[in-house]
Amino acid sequence: MRKFLCILAMVLVCSLPAAGQQTSMKKLESQRAQLEKDIAMLNRKLEQNAKNKDAALSSLSLLKSKIQSREKLITGCDQTIRMLDDSIAVCQKEIKKLQARHDTLSLYYGRLVRGAYKNRDSRLWYMYILSSESIGQGLKRAGYLRGMSAEMSAQALRIRETSAQLEVEKERLNGLRKDAGDMRRKVVGERSKLKNEEADANKLVNQLGKDRKKFQKQLAEKNRQKEALNKKIADLIRRESQKAAKNAGKTSGKTTSTAIDTKLSNEFAANRGRLPWPVEGAIVERFGKHHHPVYTNVELPQNNGVTLAVRPGAQAKAVFNGKVSQIVVLPGYNQCVLVSHGAYFTLYSKLKSVAVKVGDSVTTGQVVGTVDSIDGEDLFHFELWNGAVPQNPEGWLRN
């Protein structure tokens, strides 16, 4: 019995997808769950905006972000379907092999049983042994009969084991087929939603195009605010870097970094791609240069970070150990907290209140402040700088 259970356990392990595929499936499942959460949040924001006639520009950004998330979700579902199809093919091959083995074992076992049946009278067995010409021959004949009996028992056990393996594989195949079917139905539903969202986006584009003056005025104001933020933060970081260099060079007369700053900088850099997100939310504005979604010939000011739609009252948290360098207030961005991490800096903006003060040391995950609702929008803006050079936060934060 113990042998049977051990073999069954080995079958279960061997029948699972390869470790690499299991990891990929789990990663896709995690990404899918996050995207669905992002889409749900964006839906709530769009419902709020529906009550505000002047929020069309904001709604378009939210809708564009939702479409991107939906497209990623569909791509992830398609990848999952391909992996499930591969697993189904492997499982079917394994079932075919097991069935062939089961048939062969059953055939051999049938022959043994028929042979034993023909000689089922125990008196024949005794006569066979007693008619031996010598004790040695008698012992050999007795051993042969015991071996035949043992072989029948062993063969019966092998058939039971193979039957159990077949049942496990067939059950797994049914599960894989169900998962693949569910995922295919999900993709059909997601594609339908995507089509509707694209139609809604086109309606908004037409609406914004009709009232060009009104929305261009809103856009111009947002652009001025963004340019002011870019200038202010670049200036603050330049001054902080100069101050650090001056303090570090007092003893040597050279511009150097202190040992602590170098250590902190190296630790920060070593965590690239593993830093936690400062808030939970969906990205609505990405890093870099972009053109306006409606007035496509208009290039928007450089976005030095990412902007996320968040739940009301969301708390912004430090992404790494550091020190609060500056706290400033800027139009459209409210309170902004700049944290230094050696040669690196992170910015947390659009805050209603801050939970730190200049000079404070902060640790990873510590609350920096609470996100504000500005013009009816719950948005959080985050930036990450390497010295005077802005970085794309998505390359530094966990995927």
Side-chain angles (χ1 to χ4, degrees):
M1 183 65 179
R2 183 178 296 174
K3 180 184 176 185
F4 173 70
L5 290 173
C6 289
I7 292 172
L8 184 58
M10 289 174 65
V11 171
L12 285 167
V13 172
C14 293
S15 67
L16 291 172
Q21 190 184 42
Q22 276 187 293
T23 303
S24 298
M25 290 280 278
K26 285 181 180 176
K27 187 175 180 182
L28 283 170
E29 194 174 317
S30 175
Q31 289 174 345
R32 190 163 62 248
Q34 184 57 54
L35 286 166
E36 287 174 346
K37 192 182 289 186
D38 290 349
I39 289 169
M41 178 179 288
L42 290 166
N43 278 332
R44 288 195 295 271
K45 298 297 177 189
L46 283 164
E47 285 173 11
Q48 292 171 9
N49 278 7
K51 301 170 187 176
N52 184 356
K53 293 180 181 179
D54 295 326
L57 196 58
S58 170
S59 292
L60 183 61
S61 295
L62 293 169
L63 197 49
K64 291 278 186 181
S65 180
K66 189 166 77 155
I67 288 170
Q68 288 177 350
S69 296
R70 186 84 66 192
E71 287 170 341
K72 286 182 182 177
L73 182 61
I74 291 170
T75 299
C77 288
D78 286 338
Q79 287 177 310
T80 300
I81 288 170
R82 284 195 292 273
M83 286 185 182
L84 286 169
D85 285 343
D86 289 343
S87 295
I88 286 170
V90 170
C91 194
Q92 286 174 329
K93 285 181 182 177
E94 185 62 24
I95 287 173
K96 193 174 180 180
K97 280 165 53 180
L98 285 168
Q99 189 65 59
R101 174 175 166 75
H102 185 273
D103 293 345
T104 302
L105 288 170
S106 297
L107 181 65
Y108 180 51
Y109 182 71
R111 288 174 181 171
L112 286 173
V113 170
R114 283 192 295 274
Y117 181 78
K118 288 177 183 178
N119 301 285
R120 63 188 181 280
D121 192 338
S122 59
R123 287 175 297 179
L124 292 175
W125 291 32
Y126 292 136
M127 288 300 296
Y128 179 60
I129 295 170
L130 291 172
S131 64
S132 302
E133 296 178 359
S134 65
I135 294 175
Q137 189 183 55
L139 290 172
K140 284 182 179 179
R141 288 182 174 183
Y144 167 75
L145 292 172
R146 280 196 304 270
M148 189 169 73
S149 178
E151 176 61 17
M152 285 177 64
S153 297
Q155 195 72 1
L157 177 61
R158 282 194 285 269
I159 289 172
R160 288 198 300 272
E161 289 169 354
T162 307
S163 295
Q165 293 173 25
L166 265 171
E167 288 306 310
V168 168
E169 286 298 316
K170 285 177 179 177
E171 189 174 339
R172 178 170 167 261
L173 178 62
N174 290 334
L176 288 169
R177 281 174 172 162
K178 182 182 181 302
D179 289 345
D182 290 344
M183 194 57 66
R184 283 189 169 89
R185 283 188 289 275
K186 182 178 180 63
V187 167
V188 170
E190 294 300 329
R191 290 193 190 283
S192 176
K193 290 174 185 175
L194 178 62
K195 189 176 179 180
N196 292 334
E197 287 161 0
E198 287 172 338
D200 289 342
N202 289 332
K203 286 179 186 176
L204 271 176
V205 168
N206 292 333
Q207 180 185 337
L208 289 164
K210 289 175 183 176
D211 206 347
R212 188 182 182 96
K213 286 185 179 179
K214 173 184 171 183
F215 292 113
Q216 277 188 324
K217 187 177 179 182
Q218 287 182 7
L219 177 63
E221 180 58 26
K222 286 182 180 290
N223 287 350
R224 278 195 296 272
Q225 291 172 353
K226 186 172 286 185
E227 286 168 350
L229 175 76
N230 290 348
K231 185 176 182 301
K232 183 66 176 179
I233 300 308
D235 185 51
L236 286 175
I237 289 173
R238 185 173 59 254
R239 280 191 283 166
E240 287 296 318
S241 298
Q242 289 172 348
K243 190 184 354 177
K246 184 178 179 182
N247 291 337
K250 280 182 180 178
T251 55
S252 62
K254 298 178 180 178
T255 302
T256 58
S257 295
T258 64
I260 294 175
D261 283 346
T262 302
K263 182 174 181 293
L264 187 57
S265 295
N266 291 339
E267 288 174 352
F268 189 90
N271 279 276
R272 184 183 183 119
R274 297 196 299 271
L275 297 174
W277 283 82
V279 294
E280 187 177 325
I283 297 176
V284 292
E285 289 182 31
R286 285 189 149 80
F287 178 87
K289 282 276 190 183
H290 303 284
H291 284 82
H292 192 272
V294 181
Y295 318 120
T296 51
N297 61 329
V298 177
E299 188 176 69
L300 303 175
Q302 164 77 18
N303 186 8
N304 287 333
V306 290
T307 303
L308 298 95
V310 300
R311 61 178 176 77
Q315 292 186 319
K317 299 176 182 178
V319 300
F320 201 72
N321 300 338
K323 185 178 180 180
V324 179
S325 295
Q326 294 286 339
I327 298 175
V328 295
V329 178
L330 292 169
Y333 290 87
N334 283 19
Q335 298 190 73
C336 309
V337 177
L338 185 68
V339 177
S340 64
H341 314 273
Y344 293 88
F345 295 86
T346 52
L347 177 75
Y348 310 78
S349 60
K350 292 183 176 280
L351 303 178
K352 180 180 182 179
S353 61
V354 296
V356 292
K357 59 183 184 297
V358 174
D360 281 357
S361 292
V362 295
T363 56
T364 306
Q366 181 177 334
V367 174
V368 173
T370 302
V371 180
D372 198 2
S373 290
I374 304 173
D375 298 328
E377 296 180 323
D378 300 296
L379 300 175
F380 171 77
H381 183 74
F382 175 77
E383 296 183 8
L384 191 157
W385 293 64
N386 180 1
V389 182
Q391 308 286 301
N392 184 351
E394 290 187 72
W396 287 80
L397 303 172
R398 291 176 194 152
N399 293 326

Short mmCIF file of all heavy atoms in Angstrom, two decimals, residues 282-309:
data_model
loop_
_atom_site.label_atom_id
_atom_site.label_comp_id
_atom_site.label_asym_id
_atom_site.label_seq_id
_atom_site.Cartn_x
_atom_site.Cartn_y
_atom_site.Cartn_z
N ALA A 282 -4.08 52.97 -10.66
CA ALA A 282 -3.92 52.68 -12.09
C ALA A 282 -3.24 53.88 -12.76
O ALA A 282 -3.64 55.03 -12.54
CB ALA A 282 -5.27 52.42 -12.73
N ILE A 283 -2.24 53.61 -13.57
CA ILE A 283 -1.51 54.68 -14.25
C ILE A 283 -2.38 55.33 -15.33
O ILE A 283 -2.94 54.63 -16.18
CB ILE A 283 -0.21 54.14 -14.90
CG1 ILE A 283 0.73 53.60 -13.82
CG2 ILE A 283 0.47 55.23 -15.71
CD1 ILE A 283 1.98 52.95 -14.36
N VAL A 284 -2.50 56.65 -15.26
CA VAL A 284 -3.27 57.38 -16.28
C VAL A 284 -2.37 58.29 -17.12
O VAL A 284 -2.77 58.73 -18.19
CB VAL A 284 -4.42 58.20 -15.64
CG1 VAL A 284 -5.48 57.28 -15.06
CG2 VAL A 284 -3.90 59.15 -14.56
N GLU A 285 -1.17 58.59 -16.61
CA GLU A 285 -0.19 59.37 -17.40
C GLU A 285 1.17 58.73 -17.21
O GLU A 285 1.63 58.55 -16.09
CB GLU A 285 -0.15 60.83 -16.93
CG GLU A 285 -1.38 61.63 -17.28
CD GLU A 285 -1.26 63.09 -16.82
OE1 GLU A 285 -0.13 63.62 -16.79
OE2 GLU A 285 -2.29 63.66 -16.46
N ARG A 286 1.82 58.39 -18.33
CA ARG A 286 3.10 57.70 -18.25
C ARG A 286 4.26 58.68 -18.45
O ARG A 286 4.08 59.82 -18.87
CB ARG A 286 3.17 56.57 -19.28
CG ARG A 286 2.34 55.37 -18.86
CD ARG A 286 2.56 54.16 -19.75
NE ARG A 286 2.38 52.93 -18.95
CZ ARG A 286 1.23 52.41 -18.63
NH1 ARG A 286 0.11 53.00 -19.03
NH2 ARG A 286 1.16 51.31 -17.91
N PHE A 287 5.45 58.20 -18.18
CA PHE A 287 6.68 58.98 -18.27
C PHE A 287 6.98 59.34 -19.73
O PHE A 287 6.68 58.59 -20.65
CB PHE A 287 7.83 58.15 -17.69
CG PHE A 287 9.18 58.81 -17.76
CD1 PHE A 287 9.59 59.66 -16.75
CD2 PHE A 287 10.02 58.57 -18.83
CE1 PHE A 287 10.85 60.26 -16.81
CE2 PHE A 287 11.27 59.16 -18.90
CZ PHE A 287 11.68 60.00 -17.89
N GLY A 288 7.58 60.52 -19.91
CA GLY A 288 8.11 60.89 -21.22
C GLY A 288 7.29 61.92 -21.97
O GLY A 288 6.43 62.59 -21.43
N LYS A 289 7.61 62.04 -23.26
CA LYS A 289 6.95 63.00 -24.15
C LYS A 289 5.74 62.33 -24.81
O LYS A 289 5.83 61.20 -25.29
CB LYS A 289 7.92 63.47 -25.23
CG LYS A 289 8.94 64.51 -24.77
CD LYS A 289 8.33 65.89 -24.83
CE LYS A 289 9.41 66.97 -24.60
NZ LYS A 289 8.81 68.31 -24.60
N HIS A 290 4.63 63.06 -24.85
CA HIS A 290 3.42 62.52 -25.46
C HIS A 290 2.69 63.62 -26.23
O HIS A 290 2.85 64.81 -25.93
CB HIS A 290 2.47 61.95 -24.39
CG HIS A 290 3.10 60.90 -23.54
ND1 HIS A 290 3.32 59.62 -23.96
CD2 HIS A 290 3.59 60.97 -22.26
CE1 HIS A 290 3.90 58.92 -23.00
NE2 HIS A 290 4.08 59.72 -21.97
N HIS A 291 1.88 63.21 -27.19
CA HIS A 291 1.01 64.15 -27.91
C HIS A 291 -0.39 64.08 -27.32
O HIS A 291 -0.79 63.05 -26.76
CB HIS A 291 0.97 63.81 -29.40
CG HIS A 291 2.20 64.24 -30.13
ND1 HIS A 291 3.35 63.48 -30.13
CD2 HIS A 291 2.47 65.36 -30.86
CE1 HIS A 291 4.28 64.09 -30.84
NE2 HIS A 291 3.78 65.24 -31.30
N HIS A 292 -1.12 65.15 -27.44
CA HIS A 292 -2.47 65.20 -26.90
C HIS A 292 -3.35 64.20 -27.65
O HIS A 292 -3.24 64.07 -28.89
CB HIS A 292 -3.06 66.62 -27.05
CG HIS A 292 -4.32 66.81 -26.28
ND1 HIS A 292 -5.55 66.51 -26.81
CD2 HIS A 292 -4.53 67.24 -25.01
CE1 HIS A 292 -6.48 66.77 -25.90
NE2 HIS A 292 -5.89 67.20 -24.80
N PRO A 293 -4.21 63.46 -26.94
CA PRO A 293 -5.03 62.42 -27.60
C PRO A 293 -6.05 62.96 -28.59
O PRO A 293 -6.49 62.23 -29.48
CB PRO A 293 -5.73 61.73 -26.42
CG PRO A 293 -5.71 62.73 -25.31
CD PRO A 293 -4.44 63.49 -25.49
N VAL A 294 -6.43 64.24 -28.45
CA VAL A 294 -7.41 64.84 -29.37
C VAL A 294 -6.70 65.75 -30.37
O VAL A 294 -6.82 65.59 -31.58
CB VAL A 294 -8.48 65.64 -28.59
CG1 VAL A 294 -9.49 66.23 -29.57
CG2 VAL A 294 -9.17 64.75 -27.58
N TYR A 295 -5.95 66.72 -29.85
CA TYR A 295 -5.23 67.67 -30.71
C TYR A 295 -3.85 67.05 -30.96
O TYR A 295 -2.84 67.41 -30.33
CB TYR A 295 -5.14 69.02 -30.03
CG TYR A 295 -6.45 69.42 -29.37
CD1 TYR A 295 -6.52 69.66 -28.00
CD2 TYR A 295 -7.64 69.50 -30.10
CE1 TYR A 295 -7.71 69.99 -27.38
CE2 TYR A 295 -8.84 69.83 -29.49
CZ TYR A 295 -8.87 70.07 -28.14
OH TYR A 295 -10.06 70.38 -27.52
N THR A 296 -3.81 66.10 -31.85
CA THR A 296 -2.63 65.25 -32.02
C THR A 296 -1.37 65.99 -32.47
O THR A 296 -0.27 65.45 -32.37
CB THR A 296 -2.93 64.13 -33.03
OG1 THR A 296 -3.47 64.71 -34.23
CG2 THR A 296 -3.95 63.14 -32.45
N ASN A 297 -1.53 67.21 -32.98
CA ASN A 297 -0.35 67.99 -33.37
C ASN A 297 0.24 68.75 -32.19
O ASN A 297 1.29 69.39 -32.31
CB ASN A 297 -0.70 68.96 -34.50
CG ASN A 297 -1.77 69.96 -34.08
OD1 ASN A 297 -2.62 69.64 -33.26
ND2 ASN A 297 -1.71 71.16 -34.63
N VAL A 298 -0.42 68.67 -31.03
CA VAL A 298 0.07 69.37 -29.82
C VAL A 298 0.89 68.42 -28.98
O VAL A 298 0.41 67.39 -28.52
CB VAL A 298 -1.12 69.92 -28.99
CG1 VAL A 298 -0.61 70.56 -27.70
CG2 VAL A 298 -1.94 70.89 -29.81
N GLU A 299 2.17 68.78 -28.78
CA GLU A 299 3.06 67.97 -27.93
C GLU A 299 2.95 68.48 -26.50
O GLU A 299 3.11 69.67 -26.23
CB GLU A 299 4.51 68.05 -28.42
CG GLU A 299 5.42 67.08 -27.69
CD GLU A 299 6.84 67.08 -28.24
OE1 GLU A 299 7.53 68.10 -28.06
OE2 GLU A 299 7.24 66.07 -28.83
N LEU A 300 2.70 67.57 -25.58
CA LEU A 300 2.55 67.94 -24.17
C LEU A 300 3.92 68.09 -23.52
O LEU A 300 4.90 67.51 -23.99
CB LEU A 300 1.74 66.86 -23.44
CG LEU A 300 0.34 66.57 -24.01
CD1 LEU A 300 -0.30 65.40 -23.28
CD2 LEU A 300 -0.55 67.81 -23.91
N PRO A 301 3.99 68.86 -22.43
CA PRO A 301 5.28 69.00 -21.73
C PRO A 301 5.78 67.64 -21.24
O PRO A 301 5.01 66.73 -20.99
CB PRO A 301 4.93 69.91 -20.54
CG PRO A 301 3.69 70.61 -20.92
CD PRO A 301 2.94 69.66 -21.80
N GLN A 302 7.10 67.51 -21.13
CA GLN A 302 7.72 66.29 -20.63
C GLN A 302 7.11 65.87 -19.30
O GLN A 302 7.00 66.68 -18.38
CB GLN A 302 9.24 66.53 -20.44
CG GLN A 302 9.98 65.50 -19.60
CD GLN A 302 10.26 64.21 -20.35
OE1 GLN A 302 10.20 64.19 -21.58
NE2 GLN A 302 10.57 63.16 -19.63
N ASN A 303 6.69 64.63 -19.21
CA ASN A 303 6.20 64.09 -17.95
C ASN A 303 7.37 63.38 -17.28
O ASN A 303 7.84 62.35 -17.76
CB ASN A 303 5.04 63.12 -18.18
CG ASN A 303 4.40 62.66 -16.87
OD1 ASN A 303 4.72 63.17 -15.81
ND2 ASN A 303 3.50 61.70 -16.96
N ASN A 304 7.86 63.93 -16.17
CA ASN A 304 9.04 63.39 -15.50
C ASN A 304 8.72 62.25 -14.53
O ASN A 304 9.60 61.82 -13.78
CB ASN A 304 9.78 64.50 -14.75
CG ASN A 304 10.51 65.44 -15.71
OD1 ASN A 304 10.89 65.04 -16.80
ND2 ASN A 304 10.68 66.69 -15.31
N GLY A 305 7.47 61.79 -14.54
CA GLY A 305 7.11 60.70 -13.64
C GLY A 305 5.88 59.97 -14.15
O GLY A 305 5.66 59.87 -15.37
N VAL A 306 5.10 59.45 -13.23
CA VAL A 306 3.84 58.77 -13.58
C VAL A 306 2.73 59.33 -12.69
O VAL A 306 2.98 59.70 -11.54
CB VAL A 306 3.92 57.24 -13.40
CG1 VAL A 306 4.82 56.60 -14.44
CG2 VAL A 306 4.36 56.86 -11.99
N THR A 307 1.54 59.40 -13.25
CA THR A 307 0.36 59.85 -12.49
C THR A 307 -0.60 58.68 -12.40
O THR A 307 -0.88 58.02 -13.41
CB THR A 307 -0.30 61.05 -13.16
OG1 THR A 307 0.66 62.10 -13.30
CG2 THR A 307 -1.47 61.56 -12.33
N LEU A 308 -1.10 58.44 -11.19
CA LEU A 308 -1.99 57.30 -10.97
C LEU A 308 -3.34 57.76 -10.44
O LEU A 308 -3.41 58.70 -9.63
CB LEU A 308 -1.39 56.32 -9.95
CG LEU A 308 -0.07 55.65 -10.31
CD1 LEU A 308 1.10 56.43 -9.72
CD2 LEU A 308 -0.03 54.22 -9.78
N ALA A 309 -4.40 57.11 -10.90
CA ALA A 309 -5.73 57.30 -10.31
C ALA A 309 -5.80 56.41 -9.08
O ALA A 309 -5.46 55.22 -9.15
CB ALA A 309 -6.81 56.89 -11.31
#
